[in-house]
């Protein structure tokens, strides 16, 4: 959360920084700002709200200089406002920050005692004060940064510049990502390579507690002891045009429609991993999967796949809970961390904890070279292409497909399933892209259904077995996009409480593809219907009995139990999207959220 762009080079920093911030707006959109050198002083322009507000303010601004920083904010300390927007400036220092300074209260008190004049409610401004105070003593930006590093506790990435050094930029991090982009004549510091990939494909990833010192074209790295470290650049070949909406009104809709291709790619890549891959897991007796949000629901599905197909006991935990409950992880356990961004703070900490207890760490990320990706023993990729919409869609379905293939491969390797069953499921997976395509071709029915959703005050999403995580994911999509109350429940739990909510204002969305749970889920629907609930059901093909009791029936293609969930989630994504869009919400950037959650 929060996006950072720093630039030092011969081009116009305003355009470069704005272009970069546009690529990073998914990380936060509460405010934005820039500080760019202009005749020897840093001119600062900031605006509350989305980047477009800053762009408007900058239209007629001209800057004579070649150094600048920009920021797009997801508010932690202090309300979203221009006053709290970055960059923060103190005595010629300009600074942008992503993350949280945990000991900010103590620092704030000290600064106030020393007579500091604070102009915002942020923890970030305090760091600018600390640097400014040190600079008074040392007259050197690098030394000033070095001496304040030990004072800061929390998770942060920071870029700082000083008006006395128009060719110098310093950055450091402990937590959220910071990446240095190296051009022949220019240097970038960004939160995500996307912000600089139009200008360079050579990047150096900063590790925690490292400092980068850029002077003119010279770029040097130091560890927290001040020792210089040599770091080799990584070549990143991610093409920039994937950021295009390709004629869709929103990134989210484009990403939903990309799923057939993305899933096909994820499946192919996972089947193609060399055959000796499985032997890395020979000692594994237990799997624990950790993740957050939508990735956590993918993790829940992993439990079904691993236990059913590979017969390996599997626990699933929300990363923020796992990391604080002293979990029982032993050597030879496998910890799988799932994260689209590979930067989610809780998932990263949970993964590190598992690793520190001797577990083998397998990451499933979409973003290559992300922190989680780099820290894992074994890497797998969702391969879904860049996901810009804040609400995750294709990364989820690609994760499910990948987990399914992985569990199948382990099942065959460990003799838990035989070749014919493997083949049958392989075929089911290969059929998925065209089945998803078929569902997408019925989008007008989901649009129509979503219109009827406007009359409801709340939603209960229900499912049994592999449809249960899909119910949870469907409810999350409804909450985050349409801002309507929605709960995901295992259908068998309905009688144990949620049934009390059911009346004519509540929609019960039941996911019941034709599988072993169909009849039981149908009975649960009858119970809801008898209490006046409105029924929306999703099942396989033509189901006359189900249709009769449903206010709206949505049909899915006939599929295998293991691929049904990947199909069922598509209508739920589309309905939440259409409803949110028709309510006038910002679908790509839902309120209060950000895509990459780099704070706890
Ligand atoms: C919901 C959503 C979030 C993320 C969660 C984890 O649509 O996108 O719930 O799934 O913040 O993010 P990653 O997968 O990047 O760790």
């Amino acid at each position: 959360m929060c996006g950072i762009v720093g630039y030092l080079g011969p081009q116009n920093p305003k355009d470069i920084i704005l272009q970069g911030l546009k690529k990073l707006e998914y990380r936060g959109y509460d405010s934005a700002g820039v500080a760019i050198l202009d005749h020897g002083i840093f001119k600062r322009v900031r605006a509350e709200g989305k980047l477009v507000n800053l762009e408007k303010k900058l239209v007629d601004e001209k800057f004579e200089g070649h150094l600048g920083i920009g920021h797009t904010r997801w508010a932690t300390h202090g309300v979203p406002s221009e006053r709290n927007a970055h960059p923060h400036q103190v005595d010629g220092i300009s600074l942008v920050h992503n993350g949280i300074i945990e000991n900010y209260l103590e620092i704030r008190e000290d600064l106030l005692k020393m007579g500091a004049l604070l102009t915002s409610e942020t923890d970030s401004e305090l760091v600018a004060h600390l640097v400014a105070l040190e600079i008074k003593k040392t007259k050197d930006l690098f030394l000033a940064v070095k001496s304040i590093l030990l004072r800061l506790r929390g998770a942060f990435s920071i870029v700082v510049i000083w008006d006395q050094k128009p060719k110098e930029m310093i950055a450091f991090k402990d937590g959220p990502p910071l990446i240095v982009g190296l051009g022949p004549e220019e240097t970038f510091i960004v939160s995500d390579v996307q912000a600089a990939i139009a200008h360079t494909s050579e990047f150096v990833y900063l590790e925690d507690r490292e400092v980068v010192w850029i002077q003119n074209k010279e770029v040097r790295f130091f560890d927290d002891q001040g020792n210089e470290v040599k770091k080799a650049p990584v070549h990143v070949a991610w093409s920039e045009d994937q950021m295009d909406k390709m004629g869709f009104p929103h990134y989210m809709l484009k990403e939903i429609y990309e799923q057939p291709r993305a899933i096909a790619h994820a499946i192919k890549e996972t089947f193609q991993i060399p055959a000796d891959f499985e032997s890395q897991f020979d000692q594994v007796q237990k799997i624990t999967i950790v993740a957050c949000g939508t990735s956590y629901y993918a993790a829940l599905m992993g439990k079904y796949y691993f236990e059913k197909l590979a017969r390996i006991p599997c626990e699933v935990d929300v990363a923020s809970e796992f990391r604080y409950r002293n979990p029982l992880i032993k050597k030879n356990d496998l910890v799988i961390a799932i994260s689209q961004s590979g930067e989610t703070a809780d998932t990263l900490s949970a993964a590190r904890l598992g690793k520190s207890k001797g577990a083998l760490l397998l990451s499933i990320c979409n973003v290559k070279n992300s922190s989680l990706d780099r820290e894992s023993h074994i890497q797998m990729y969702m391969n879904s292409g860049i996901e810009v919409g804040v609400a995750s869609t294709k990364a989820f379905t690609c994760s499910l497909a990948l987990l399914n293939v992985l569990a199948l491969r382990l099942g065959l390797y460990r003799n838990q399933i035989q070749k014919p069953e493997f083949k049958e499921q392989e075929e089911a997976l290969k059929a998925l892209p065209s089945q998803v395509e078929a569902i997408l071709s019925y989008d007008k029915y989901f649009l129509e259904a979503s219109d009827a959703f406007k009359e409801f005050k709340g939603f209960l999403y229900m499912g049994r077995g592999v449809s249960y995580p899909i119910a949870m994911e469907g409810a999350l999509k409804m909450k985050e996009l349409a801002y309507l109350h929605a709960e995901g429940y295992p259908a068998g739990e309905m009688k144990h409480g949620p049934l009390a909510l059911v009346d004519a204002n509540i929609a019960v969305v039941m996911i019941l593809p034709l599988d072993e749970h169909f009849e039981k889920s149908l009975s649960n629907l009858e119970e809801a219907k008898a209490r006046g609930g409105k029924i929306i059901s999703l099942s396989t093909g033509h189901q006359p009995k189900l249709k009769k009791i449903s206010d709206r029936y949505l049909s899915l293609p006939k599929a295998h139990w293991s691929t049904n969930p990947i199909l069922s989630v598509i209508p739920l994504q589309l309905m939440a999207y259409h409803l949110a869009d028709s309510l006038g919400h910002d679908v790509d950037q839902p309120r209060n959220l950000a895509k990459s959650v780099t704070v706890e």
Side-chain angles (χ1 to χ4, degrees), residues 291-296 338-344 347 382 387 389-393 473 476-477 480 594-597:
C292 300
T294 288
S295 292
Y296 169 69
I338 305 179
S339 174
Q340 188 284 130
S341 60
E343 300 294 352
T344 300
T347 308
M382 296 171 190
E387 195 181 63
V390 166
S392 188
T393 50
E473 171 60 6
L476 180 63
K477 286 287 152 292
E480 66 182 334
K595 187 140 189 85
S596 186
V597 184

Side-chain angles (χ1 to χ4, degrees), residues 338-357:
I338 305 179
S339 174
Q340 188 284 130
S341 60
E343 300 294 352
T344 300
D346 285 317
T347 308
L348 203 50
S349 297
R352 284 176 183 151
L353 178 65
K355 203 170 155 188
S356 73
K357 287 179 179 273

Side-chain angles (χ1 to χ4, degrees), residues 563-582:
T563 53
N564 268 328
I566 304 176
L567 297 176
S568 331
V569 79
I570 311 289
L572 305 182
Q573 295 171 343
L574 283 167
M575 288 188 292
Y577 166 82
H578 288 306
L579 179 58
D581 188 36
S582 70

Side-chain angles (χ1 to χ4, degrees), residues 512-530:
L512 65 168
L514 211 50
D515 62 13
E516 55 184 321
H517 304 291
F518 179 80
E519 291 298 333
K520 288 212 161 45
S521 299
L522 189 61
S523 309
N524 295 136
L525 266 191
E526 299 274 12
E527 291 151 13
K529 179 87 181 166

